[in-house]
Amino acid sequence: MIKKVASLICAVVLSTSFAVGNVASAAVIPPDAPAYSYTNECSSDLSISGTTATCESSVTGYYNKTTKIVIVQTLQKKNSSGDWDYVCSWNETINGFKGSVTNTKSSLESGTYRLKTVATVYAGTEHETITKYST
Amino acid sequence: MNMTKSNFEKTLYDALASEYEIAMQDVADEHEFSPEFEKKMKELINRRNKPYYKIINTAGKRIACIAMIVLIASSVTIMNVEALRNAFSDFFVNTYKKFSTVRPVEDDSAPTTLEEIYEITYNINDFEIIDNEEDEYRRDIFYLKDDTVIYFSQETKKKYNHDVNTEEAEILTIDINGHEAIYFIDNNNYYHIIWDNGDYIISLSSNISENVLIEIAKSVKKVE
């Protein structure tokens, strides 16, 4: 009886650890990832109409702290293996504490796309890099 | 010589009975099984009498049962994590170590473009608008007075998907005119209030005092 109870407890504990581990791994931030020190919020939005994609990225920092924002937009397409291939990219520098960037890409082939926004947010000479994907 | 059956049996008995008795004496002392053996047999008998014996009576079935338990426990755990993520009535909030992703609950009936305009009606006339961006999905207005900033935003629910700075922040909820708002203070001492007013996502962030920002939030009204 004791063995059975122990087995059940082990099974539950192992499976619980497995599930929590999976969820936690999705939320793991690399230890060297920068803090959100100069970035208030950001968004990355992709809308597709016909064969044209509209890519919008917005980053807001802090007044009197954030000095410059470099936004790199990368349009990506999902391949048959489930990985994301590069389609095209844009790069824009905003001198200020906030900014948004909108770009379009026409003549898209059919498929699944997403927008990757990488923002390097500066406070003087210091900076942090954040990444946001469209859903 | 002819012998009747009964005579034959009697003769046979007389001939073998003494040998039989001697042989039986040799096994008269009953064997005593070891306590371990007795315990094992008792366990086997008990197991056989269990109502669920047929479910676990082979190694394969036992493995299947354990696998089922693992699956159920995993599902329960994952559902619990989901519940934590969905702890807000109008938003999905995934909280990571340094930020949170905030998305509204899907609402197909909500406007997909800004059909109505909401404004702060609290008296902030002494603030200057330093930035104003607007498109068909979103309005952002920045108010400034000295070093005090108020960032007001109105956005369609369909478009709203923001990563917000919640590093070291505790996300709470407050009531804004009957709507549950997400509320937190970030590591730059900015207060943030985000709520779904039924049609749009309204957000405010500011380094103004907490009570004033809540009053400002409650003053947001449709003006057009």
Side-chain angles (χ1 to χ4, degrees), chain A residues 8 15 27 33-37 39-43 45 56 58 62-65 97-98 100 132 135, chain B residues 69-70 73 81 96 98 131 133 135 138 142 144 147 149 151 159 161-163 165 167 186-188 192 205:
Chain A
L8 282 173
S15 60
Y36 259 58
S37 299
T39 311
N40 185 330
E41 65 163 51
C42 76
S43 62
D45 183 67
E56 296 178 81
S58 174
Y62 292 95
Y63 180 77
N64 264 354
K65 188 171 189 180
F97 74 101
K98 71 173 290 293
S100 57
K132 170 81 174 162
T135 49
Chain B
I69 290 166
V70 168
V81 172
Y96 303 93
K98 299 182 177 182
D131 196 86
E133 284 189 37
D135 62 24
R138 178 174 172 176
F142 283 83
L144 176 68
D147 285 335
V149 177
Y151 167 34
K159 288 279 185 181
N161 175 4
H162 289 224
D163 284 354
N165 177 9
E167 184 177 11
D186 70 22
N187 53 7
N188 281 282
H192 297 253
S205 68

Side-chain angles (χ1 to χ4, degrees), chain B residues 61 89 134:
Chain B
K61 287 181 181 178
S89 61
E134 184 170 342

Side-chain angles (χ1 to χ4, degrees), chain B residues 16 21 23 35 39 54 56 67 79 92 94 105 113 115 118 122 127 136 142 149 152 158 160 167 175 188 191 208 210:
Chain B
L16 296 178
E21 282 175 8
K39 187 180 173 189
K54 286 186 177 177
I56 58 162
M79 282 188 285
F92 295 104
N94 289 349
V105 172
T113 57
E115 297 170 359
Y118 285 78
Y122 187 91
F127 280 72
E136 59 183 324
F142 283 83
V149 177
F152 169 79
K158 195 172 179 62
Y160 193 93
E167 184 177 11
D175 180 88
N188 281 282
Y191 292 94
I208 204 167
E210 176 183 10

Side-chain angles (χ1 to χ4, degrees), chain B residues 94-110:
Chain B
N94 289 349
T95 299
Y96 303 93
K97 188 178 177 185
K98 299 182 177 182
F99 65 92
S100 295
T101 299
V102 181
R103 289 183 297 122
V105 172
E106 280 193 26
D107 179 1
D108 292 335
S109 64

